[in-house]
């Protein structure tokens, strides 16, 4: 019996101890009419050898591509040690560290993680993770509204990822929070300081870099929001923070809450998850934070140790008055991230960020030299940018895919006003040859399209 | 020692970073960072050794019996991890087109079908990333259903007082008020209280079955009728699905919506706190509201259904399609069990729980619901022991650590005083259970002969009992040099 150790002898001895005639008898409190749980669509069991074969075949069917898509999930080199240590049984198969004395490994690791994230974002405190960047942003919106004594309104630039905005709407709408979208400057691709009267609002979200990869004028936006009595939620890429100004240093007083997707710090792309959402904030907001938090304390002998703390914010204590319903978080991915950040260190993370920026810059130069390709926005970018092509974006991306290249994220669905626009990204994982290959293939595809009438064109 | 204390200026793991620092002088100075973030400066071996040693300070399923009630700490088969981490699966971008992920999507589709069969529901969406997010999706669907019928008076969600904290917290996140109803002496929902509570204001009832008290809710059919007759919907908290896998289907009990915790029943790892996966199953009438994405299959191709395909969907739970890698692990587990193995899960989880219950009862422990069968878990209460000796459930739990057993869940559910909620799972052998029983008896004797010994526990862990009050009063959440 897979994963069940009982021998026939054990079963009989256990039933005898219970005083039950059979295992069936143990279910006798279930109303007879309901006892028909028979599974009809679950296939029969596979041995490990058989499932190996099946999954290898499926993985091979998925293949490998040269990837230039970013749009919220980024391909970076992950040191071998990261997941080898993370998947040690002691981390992998432990529960939430509620029994602190038997969970010092996980607890200390989270404390170290909190320290790293607080420093990276320039803020005072960090929690132990939320589900992902999108739901993390929703939690930040809820948190800012709770902390604000006035209107339940939040300003959300359209330069924030459209999927994040969708997640936020879905999560906060039932609490009657109004999300007001701010348009972007079509020349720069960044969010101008609003000139109209926005009324009372709890927070302004500022995405750095924004979804277009462009760098926002974070200082002016932050000071403007603070001048209007609102808080600032910084939505940031953690890799970029090795180079870019930390949210805690934005403007005169610094952003109040920072959130983002933790995936770039050591989590594989993996079709979308598991990733994690990080959240840090100013000390004054710590009691409004959702999620678990680890604190350092001492034991009976005065020896330092770690424990979950401020649990009175959480659902298992506060129930309907909790700051969030979150319970299980993304702990194992945080474990990977902590090891990743330790292995890279300040210099390594900075080099990764710089190489990603430089690769993207080179890619943009190469691509915009191609006839029919131009850059769309004038603002500086980090490791992603928008290009416009003179052919249907979807078709061109499919033609690139046929050459083994995933050429970027098609923006025409979410931003139809940008025409045939593609968001492209080149992290430190791309070599000069990779960048050349992309440029050559794009040039070839576009020129072929121009030569052949579109109706005759087949990718 | 913290990783930061291993740090030395100028040290680094050079193999792990680009060889040169690329020029970034094109970026505007006023947007740049001027200080270095506090990340450790350490060699690769320093880091490997530090975190390996930290791991050794944890209890885990791979090293200890972990009978944590409500959490289903069963063995996590290693193949589930190694196969979910095949390089092609790891490398696939969430926005890569469906054609580049047919192997992955086929696995997702089949898992979705397996979960439908297991729960007896009409549709399944695997978008939610944990149980609580599944609850959020489920209650949001209840709300969307009533709203679509212009039934806006339904503002209240009913939860039994034994419910997990995520239930009331979720209802509030969905804009509802919460009404708690009591439990009767047998551990079932108090039907009179339920009848009195329902009405045109009732949006739904959230129920765990078997309940968090470790018993099967015998009057489920009456409960179902009372709630449905009042126009409310029935939510099933699937945290305890392990107890009924292949025995009873929530759909047959009349539930309209259910979440599953794949990190419990489908054996994906808890990872020291997460990640999990909390798929939701729905009845016919909630199909139009399912969260996206949902995997579909037509003309031999798999693809994701999105907002445009399910226009009344409650929306997206995550930016990137949920915890895909966790779902892969659950799929692999399900295929290794097969139908026959899944039927065995509830059988042996229940056998183990009832065996432990019987033996602990013989050893003199007070069972919270002595007239009932255990489901896959059960509760003992140490109220009398505390009154006699001063030894609390927490003391008892800490002493178990000294004997090499992770403690059962303590002080949950809140309505049983000094409780231990014990869930052995099906993957533990009789010898392991016997060892645990011996430790329980030993501690019981210690509590009577030398209560201070138990109150001072643990003695064998990396630290002794920690000062939680100090942790909360003198907040030290990040390290300062
Ligand atoms: C009964 C019950 N409901 C809900 C949950 C919440 O699930 P999760 O932790 O996956 O969010 C849990 C587990 O923690 C539980 O035991």
């Amino acid at each position: 019996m897979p994963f069940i150790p009982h021998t026939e002898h054990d079963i009989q001895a256990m039933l005898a101890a219970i005083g039950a005639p059979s295992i069936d008898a143990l279910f006798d409190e279930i109303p007879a009419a309901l006892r028909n749980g028979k599974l009809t669509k679950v296939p029969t069991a596979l041995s490990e050898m058989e499932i190996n074969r099946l999954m290898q075949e499926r993985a091979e069917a998925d293949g490998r591509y040269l990837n230039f898509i970013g749009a919220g999930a980024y391909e970076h080199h992950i040191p071998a040690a990261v997941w080898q240590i993370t998947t040690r049984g002691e981390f992998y198969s432990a529960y939430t560290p509620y029994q602190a004395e038997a969970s010092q490994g996980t607890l200390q690791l989270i404390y170290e993680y909190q320290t790293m994230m607080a420093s990276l974002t320039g803020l005072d405190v960090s929690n132990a993770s939320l589900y992902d960047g999108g739901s993390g942003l929703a939690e930040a919106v809820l948190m800012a509204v709770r902390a604000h004594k006035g209107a339940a309104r939040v300003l959300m630039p359209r330069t924030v990822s459209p999927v994040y905005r969708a997640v936020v709407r879905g999560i906060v709408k039932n609490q009657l929070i109004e999300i007001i979208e701010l348009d972007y400057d079509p020349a720069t691709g960044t969010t101008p300081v609003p000139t109209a009267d926005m009324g009372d609002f709890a927070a302004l979200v500022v995405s750095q870099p924004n979804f277009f990869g462009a760098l926002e004028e974070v200082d002016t936006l932050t000071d403007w929001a603070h001048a209007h009595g609102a808080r600032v939620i910084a939505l940031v890429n953690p890799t970029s923070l090795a180079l870019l100004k930390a949210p805690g240093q934005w403007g005169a007083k610094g952003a109040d809450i920072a959130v983002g997707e933790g995936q770039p710090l050591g989590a594989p792309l993996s079709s979308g998850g598991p990733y994690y959402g990080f959240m840090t904030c100013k000390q004054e907001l710590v009691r409004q934070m959702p999620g678990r938090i680890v604190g350092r304390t001492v034991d009976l002998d005065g020896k330092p140790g770690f424990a979950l703390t401020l649990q009175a914010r959480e659902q298992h204590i506060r129930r309907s008055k909790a700051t969030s319903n979150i319970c299980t978080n993304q702990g194992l991915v945080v474990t990977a991230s902590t090891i990743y950040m330790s292995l890279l260190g300040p210099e390594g993370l900075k080099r990764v960020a710089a190489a990603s920026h430089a690769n993207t810059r080179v890619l943009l130069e190469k691509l915009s030299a191609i006839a029919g390709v131009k850059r769309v926005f004038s603002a500086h970018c980090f490791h992603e940018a928008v290009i416009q092509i003179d052919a249907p974006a979807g078709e061109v991306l499919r033609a690139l895919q046929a050459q083994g290249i995933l050429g970027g994220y098609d923006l025409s669905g979410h931003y139809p006003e940008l025409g045939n626009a593609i968001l492209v990204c080149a992290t430190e994982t791309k070599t000069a040859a990779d960048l050349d290959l992309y440029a050559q293939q794009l040039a070839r595809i576009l020129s072929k399209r121009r030569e052949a009438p579109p109706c005759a064109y087949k990718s | 020692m913290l990783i930061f204390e291993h740090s030395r200026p100028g040290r680094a793991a050079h193999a792990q970073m680009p060889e040169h620092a690329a020029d970034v002088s094109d970026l505007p100075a006023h947007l740049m960072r001027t200080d270095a973030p506090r990340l450790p400066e350490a060699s690769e071996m320093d880091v490997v050794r530090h975190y390996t040693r930290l791991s050794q300070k944890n209890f885990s399923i791979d090293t200890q019996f972990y009978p944590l009630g409500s959490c289903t700490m069963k063995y996590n088969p290693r193949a589930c991890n190694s196969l979910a981490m095949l390089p092609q699966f790891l490398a696939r971008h969430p926005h890569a087109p469906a054609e580049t992920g047919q192997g992955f999507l086929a696995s997702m589709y089949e898992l979705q079908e397996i979960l439908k069969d297991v729960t007896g529901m009409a549709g399944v969406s695997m978008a939610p990333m944990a149980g609580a997010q599944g609850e959020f999706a489920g209650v949001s669907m209840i709300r969307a259903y009533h709203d679509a019928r212009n039934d806006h008076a339904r503002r209240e969600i009913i939860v039994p007082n034994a419910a997990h904290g995520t239930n009331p917290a979720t209802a509030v996140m969905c804009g509802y008020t919460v009404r708690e109803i009591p439990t009767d002496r047998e551990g079932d929902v108090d039907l009179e209280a339920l009848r009195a509570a329902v009405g045109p204001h009732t949006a739904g009832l959230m129920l765990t079955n078997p309940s968090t008290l470790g018993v099967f809710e015998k009057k489920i059919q009456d409960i179902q009728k009372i709630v449905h007759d009042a126009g409310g919907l029935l939510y099933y908290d699937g945290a305890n699905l392990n107890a009924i896998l292949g025995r009873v289907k929530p759909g047959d009990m009349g539930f309209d919506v259910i979440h599953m915790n794949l990190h419990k029943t489908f054996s994906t790892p808890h990872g020291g706190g997460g990640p999990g996966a909390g798929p939701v199953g729905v009845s016919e009438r909630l199909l139009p509201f399912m969260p996206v994405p949902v995997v579909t299959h037509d003309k031999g191709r798999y693809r994701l259904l999105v907002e445009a395909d399910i226009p009344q969907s409650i929306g997206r739970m995550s930016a990137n399609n949920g915890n895909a890698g966790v779902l892969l692990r659950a799929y692999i587990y399900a295929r290794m069990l097969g139908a026959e193995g899944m039927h065995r899960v509830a059988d042996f989880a229940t056998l183990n729980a009832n065996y432990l219950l019987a033996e602990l009862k013989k050893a003199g422990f007070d069972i919270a619901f002595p007239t009932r069968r255990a489901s896959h878990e059960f509760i003992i209460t140490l109220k009398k022991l505390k009154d006699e000796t001063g030894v609390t459930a927490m003391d008892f739990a800490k002493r178990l650590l000294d004997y090499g057993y992770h403690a059962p869940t303590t002080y949950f559910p809140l309505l049983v005083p000094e409780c231990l909620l014990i869930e052995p799972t099906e993957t533990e052998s009789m010898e392991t259970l016997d060892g645990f029983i011996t430790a329980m008896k030993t501690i019981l004797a210690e509590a009577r002969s030398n209560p201070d010994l138990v109150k001072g526990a643990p003695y064998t862990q990396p630290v002794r009992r920690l000062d939680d009050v100090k942790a909360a009063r003198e907040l030290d959440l990040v390290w300062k040099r």
Side-chain angles (χ1 to χ4, degrees), chain A residues 95 327-328, chain B residues 70 130-132 135 164 166 208 212 237 239 259 261 263-264:
Chain A
Y95 195 70
C327 178
T328 291
Chain B
S70 205
E135 292 175 36
H164 194 261
T166 50
T208 313
T212 53
D237 178 329
H259 86 260
N261 302 66
H263 42 304
K264 299 181 182 184

